[in-house]
Amino acid sequence: MIDQQTRELVRERARNRCEYCLIPQEYLPLITFPVDHIIAKQHGGDSQSNNLCLSCLKCNLQKGPNIASLDPDTGLLVPLYNPRIDKWTDHFQYAGETITGLTPVGRATIQLLGFNQEQQIELRQALITDGWPLDP
């Protein structure tokens, strides 16, 4: 169970946007972004703030309890992006409305979480059109 104070800390730290794909909560007001266990409880993760991040519903559902995936370029098993220890810009960059992976961690996370599925690209196009800054 995650207490309300911890939820608020996670939301503020994330600047109220998904810490994986960076979509702002404000842009999807009908869906409250869940707090994600970066390392799932079934893998020994706890509910302390250093193991929690704000995640849009899509990234949360795609990630599930996964902590690793295959790099599509090398086929090697690599850890997923961890917002508490990794810097977003070390692993990802924007190329217009798509997100590209700069590292095996970035590529594996993009593939597993579906960052560049049609719906996500359309959402980022709408954000750009509406003048939302897509800054990491």
Side-chain angles (χ1 to χ4, degrees), residues 18 20-24 27-28 33 55-60 62 94 96-99 110 113-128 134:
C18 177
Y20 296 111
C21 72
L22 305 183
I23 295 294
Y27 209 74
L28 299 170
F33 286 2
S55 175
C56 70
L57 187 58
K58 182 180 180 314
C59 284
N60 187 268
Q62 293 284 118
Y94 283 108
E97 63 278 344
T98 62
I99 298 174
I110 286 169
L113 274 61
F115 281 9
N116 293 317
Q117 290 176 349
E118 184 177 346
Q119 180 184 13
Q120 295 306 98
I121 289 174
E122 288 173 0
L123 181 56
R124 282 193 294 275
Q125 285 172 331
L127 285 166
I128 292 167
L134 293 180

Side-chain angles (χ1 to χ4, degrees), residues 66-120:
N66 293 300
I67 58 175
S69 189
L70 299 175
D71 173 8
D73 286 2
T74 66
L76 297 175
L77 183 66
V78 297
L80 294 176
Y81 169 73
N82 181 329
R84 296 288 67 79
I85 60 174
D86 297 323
K87 184 176 176 186
W88 198 91
T89 53
D90 288 345
H91 298 283
F92 311 101
Q93 70 180 9
Y94 283 108
E97 63 278 344
T98 62
I99 298 174
T100 59
L102 302 174
T103 64
V105 167
R107 292 188 298 267
T109 302
I110 286 169
Q111 182 172 315
L112 183 73
L113 274 61
F115 281 9
N116 293 317
Q117 290 176 349
E118 184 177 346
Q119 180 184 13
Q120 295 306 98

